[in-house]
Amino acid sequence: MGATNEKEMTLEGGFMMPHANSFGHTFRNYDAESERQEGVENFYRRNHIYQTVDFVRKMREEYGKLKRVEMSIWECCELLNEVVDESDPDLDEPQIEHLLQTAEAIRKDYPNEDWLHLAGLIHDLGKVLLLPIFGGLPQWAVVGDTYPVGCRFDESIVHHKYFMENSDYNNPAYNTKYGIYSEKCGLNNVLMSWGHDDYMYLVAKENKTTLPSAALFIIRYHSFYALHREGAYEHLMNDEDVENLKWLNIFNKYDLYSKSKVRVDVEKVKPYYLSLIEKYFPAKLKW
């Protein structure tokens, strides 16, 4: 699993990035006048106000017990048909379509990295937190960009202005560059805002997946756009984070730009993904 450079991301005959999202706008345009724009901004206001150190610790403790339900990875994928992400300005399709678009785009360009295909399939499974059997959490506690809590909120975070209403914003223990952390402490020691990324990471780790650390890094930090798009918070990364970030940067192209109206034949590709799930996960997982 050697690191791959940027030039290898556009293989001949491979995945081509579309120019527009499902609404005809450029991707991740949070100012575009679309039917979703106002709702997305309202989402981020709530997200930035309520994601505090205390809230994150409470959620990690509660959901880390994995006592809600037992089911297979594929059963969970099918549950995502009931979920639409209100924070996403690019997509209003059921989430399982996005999972398969992402995985199939990766598979086309990286046919030999089957762990990366599976990471594409499962990276958003934590969004089942929105469903009643998983606690029915509000959207602001499940989706959207993620970021560290316990240190200063970087200005590159989308709709940063709303952090001023967060109770941690003026807390001297939390509002400095390092806050409760130290230089190169490693992202594994950093509390991230609670959501589907961290939840799916906990599920995979506690159910003893055999996926490599790069896959777990992708699952846990794929919504951490302040890091992998803006270069913020690099002072908290250790050497393993630096290596894994190379794979996340590759993955991000497929996660973001595969959101289109191109449909995937679920039944046709299902046997392949079931074989990957069997390879890397137990038949039933605790969620």
Side-chain angles (χ1 to χ4, degrees):
M1 193 182 74
T4 308
N5 68 39
E6 193 80 18
K7 292 179 182 176
E8 294 174 1
M9 290 171 59
T10 52
L11 302 183
E12 186 177 347
F15 173 67
M16 297 295 291
M17 290 188 291
H19 296 296
N21 63 20
S22 296
F23 301 97
H25 298 295
T26 54
F27 285 90
R28 284 183 60 83
N29 184 346
Y30 289 93
D31 299 313
E33 290 297 327
S34 77
E35 58 202 273
R36 308 261 307 186
Q37 187 270 335
E38 186 177 351
V40 170
E41 181 161 353
N42 287 335
F43 160 86
Y44 274 110
R45 181 177 182 274
R46 292 189 292 272
N47 173 277
H48 291 356
I49 291 172
Y50 300 128
Q51 290 276 2
T52 64
V53 169
D54 287 346
F55 173 75
V56 170
R57 285 176 172 158
K58 176 184 172 186
M59 290 293 102
R60 290 195 104 244
E61 180 181 2
E62 179 179 336
Y63 280 93
K65 296 172 184 173
L66 302 180
K67 290 184 175 179
R68 298 207 169 251
V69 66
E70 288 194 20
M71 65 173 61
S72 70
I73 289 281
W74 191 264
E75 286 172 318
C76 193
C77 288
E78 292 180 329
L79 278 181
L80 279 201
N81 274 328
E82 302 172 34
V83 171
V84 173
D85 182 343
E86 290 179 2
S87 75
D88 193 338
D90 297 324
L91 184 73
D92 64 350
E93 299 292 335
Q95 291 295 313
I96 195 170
E97 295 273 345
H98 167 55
L99 298 186
L100 287 167
Q101 286 172 345
T102 302
E104 284 294 282
I106 294 169
R107 185 180 173 192
K108 193 177 293 183
D109 284 3
Y110 294 90
N112 299 320
E113 308 287 354
D114 67 356
W115 63 270
L116 195 57
H117 312 165
L118 186 56
L121 179 73
I122 69 174
H123 74 285
D124 274 348
L125 284 193
K127 290 180 180 179
V128 292
L129 288 173
L130 294 166
L131 302 176
I133 60 170
F134 289 87
L137 292 180
Q139 290 260 344
W140 62 262
V142 178
V143 299
D145 289 13
T146 58
Y147 44 84
V149 297
C151 61
R152 182 187 303 145
F153 299 114
D154 192 84
E155 290 188 5
S156 66
I157 301 169
V158 62
H159 293 306
H160 176 272
K161 60 191 175 187
Y162 294 121
F163 283 121
M164 287 186 280
E165 299 178 61
N166 184 301
S167 60
D168 289 350
Y169 186 80
N170 292 312
N171 186 330
Y174 300 149
N175 65 6
T176 62
K177 178 180 179 179
Y178 289 98
I180 60 176
Y181 311 115
S182 59
E183 186 172 6
K184 296 184 179 179
C185 63
L187 294 181
N188 190 50
N189 295 307
V190 173
L191 285 173
M192 297 295 293
S193 56
W194 176 252
H196 70 280
D197 303 55
D198 212 24
Y199 176 59
M200 189 59 210
Y201 164 77
L202 289 173
V203 169
K205 181 170 172 283
E206 296 305 317
N207 282 282
K208 308 293 192 245
T209 182
T210 55
L211 282 169
S213 69
L216 293 175
F217 189 92
I218 286 168
I219 291 166
R220 195 175 192 183
Y221 301 113
H222 67 271
S223 302
F224 190 4
Y225 281 92
L227 172 68
H228 57 74
R229 241 180 112 106
E230 307 295 339
Y233 300 104
E234 289 181 346
H235 54 282
L236 300 177
M237 295 170 63
N238 61 22
D239 291 342
E240 184 179 9
D241 294 331
V242 172
E243 286 303 306
N244 285 335
L245 181 60
K246 296 174 184 177
W247 282 106
L248 177 53
N249 285 330
I250 289 169
F251 173 85
N252 181 55
K253 172 185 124 175
Y254 301 93
D255 180 21
L256 179 57
Y257 298 109
S258 63
K259 297 171 183 176
S260 68
K261 294 295 186 181
V262 179
R263 309 307 285 264
V264 175
D265 185 337
V266 176
E267 292 307 312
K268 183 178 179 182
V269 301
K270 182 177 177 180
Y272 174 70
Y273 289 102
L274 288 177
S275 74
L276 294 190
I277 292 166
E278 185 178 1
K279 178 178 178 179
Y280 289 105
F281 281 96
K284 293 282 186 181
L285 283 71
K286 294 179 180 179
W287 299 79

